[in-house]
Amino acid sequence: SLDDIGREAVSAIASHTSAPLVSISLCDDHPTTPVTILASNWRSPLQQGRLARIALLDELLDASDGVVLVTDIAKQLAREPNFVAHCERDGIRELVLIKLHHGGRELGTLVFQYLKPGYVEELDPEILRALGKMLSLAISNTQHFLDLEYRASHDSLTGLRNRSVLHGCFATEVDTSNAAALLLLDLDRFKAVNDTCGHLAGDNMLREIAKLIRDKVRDSDLVARLGGDEFGMLLLRCPLDKARQIADDVCN
């Protein structure tokens, strides 16, 4: 999993380098989308959750072939006073930024943080690039596997589970020991929407209906798109009167 890769990578890097603080962040190709901290060996608020991307750091990474050595944070990052202030507050004296990318796609950043000066100048940028490439390959392969796994179990249009997941869940979860209900929904006159308004409007309509159904059922219920304008809802451990209530809520 990505969490395992991040945790193992941070642990290995921290134990085999002079960097006391190591973190890995993930991002997408949109410069305005916040980055997500995958793994870190410290608990600063700066290294948790989702953070706004820092344009200057992206610029420096692009201009230096993916490796930036920051020996004077206040001077080299003067255009980002808030980030400089965070570093000063946490006692960060030097930084190493390594861009993570694979196959022309940006993945994130590996960051070394030093509490004392004098370490960064001794580092070999080529070794850092090689480290970034290895970590990028591991992350990219895992993301590809997770994407394939998602596509195999979800409907690409609505994001709901697909027919095969519903069939599998019905076969393994439904038995005589618990009450369950299977609700099937078919939209009336959906073909007319596609014919008169176009398939884009029809797709948008299916997405909205999927959201409405998901809002009407319980969190534990399985909602799937069976194909076309057909949906299925598997309600496990659900008494008959509750299943009827949910069916009425969905239809209304």
Side-chain angles (χ1 to χ4, degrees):
S1 70
L2 285 175
D3 288 339
D4 290 336
I5 289 174
R7 183 169 53 252
E8 293 293 335
V10 166
S11 176
I13 293 170
S15 63
H16 289 85
T17 69
S18 56
L21 309 177
V22 181
S23 62
I24 301 170
S25 63
L26 299 182
C27 66
D28 56 29
D29 294 327
H30 301 287
T32 59
T33 303
V35 300
T36 301
I37 302 302
L38 174 63
S40 175
N41 66 346
W42 67 317
R43 295 297 181 183
S44 166
L46 188 61
Q47 298 300 326
Q48 298 185 53
R50 292 175 63 81
L51 306 172
R53 292 184 66 167
I54 300 175
L56 176 59
L57 299 185
D58 290 337
E59 293 175 14
L60 293 175
L61 284 168
D62 291 338
S64 59
D65 197 21
V67 173
V68 175
L69 307 179
V70 182
T71 57
D72 188 335
I73 294 176
K75 181 178 179 180
Q76 292 175 254
L77 306 180
R79 282 172 46 196
E80 297 290 346
N82 290 336
F83 182 76
V84 172
H86 276 297
C87 291
E88 291 177 348
R89 184 197 64 198
D90 291 328
I92 307 302
R93 302 292 299 276
E94 295 183 337
L95 290 171
V96 174
L97 308 172
I98 305 171
K99 185 175 183 177
L100 304 177
H101 57 100
H102 183 75
R105 187 167 64 92
E106 186 175 2
L107 303 175
T109 309
L110 170 62
V111 182
F112 297 176
Q113 297 153 106
Y114 294 86
L115 302 177
K116 296 180 180 180
Y119 289 96
V120 169
E121 292 179 342
E122 301 177 358
L123 299 177
D124 184 343
E126 290 305 315
I127 294 178
L128 297 175
R129 288 189 183 92
L131 176 61
K133 288 180 180 179
M134 288 191 294
L135 182 56
S136 296
L137 180 60
I139 292 174
S140 179
N141 286 343
T142 302
Q143 288 180 334
H144 180 63
F145 174 79
L146 294 174
D147 182 61
L148 292 176
E149 192 177 55
Y150 180 88
R151 291 171 183 267
S153 60
H154 289 76
D155 172 56
S156 60
L157 177 64
T158 63
L160 297 177
R161 296 302 183 95
N162 58 25
R163 179 193 296 266
S164 63
V165 173
L166 181 65
H167 287 180
C169 188
F170 191 89
T172 58
E173 299 291 337
V174 176
D175 55 42
T176 57
S177 64
N178 64 75
L182 176 64
L183 308 182
L184 301 177
L185 175 66
D186 187 296
L187 304 180
D188 291 335
R189 298 182 296 278
F190 179 71
K191 184 177 182 300
V193 175
N194 279 334
D195 291 343
T196 58
C197 301
H199 288 281
L200 179 60
D203 289 347
N204 289 334
M205 180 178 177
L206 290 174
R207 292 189 188 97
E208 290 302 317
I209 289 175
K211 293 177 183 178
L212 291 173
I213 296 174
R214 185 68 265 178
D215 290 341
K216 297 294 184 179
V217 301
R218 304 170 302 174
D219 292 340
S220 59
D221 296 331
L222 173 63
V223 181
R225 183 186 176 205
L226 305 181
D229 61 353
E230 298 177 343
F231 297 85
M233 291 148 275
L234 182 58
L235 317 179
L236 298 174
R237 291 171 288 280
C238 184
L240 181 58
D241 57 344
K242 180 62 176 179
R244 285 174 173 162
Q245 177 189 335
I246 293 176
D248 289 339
D249 290 342
V250 170
C251 291
N252 294 328

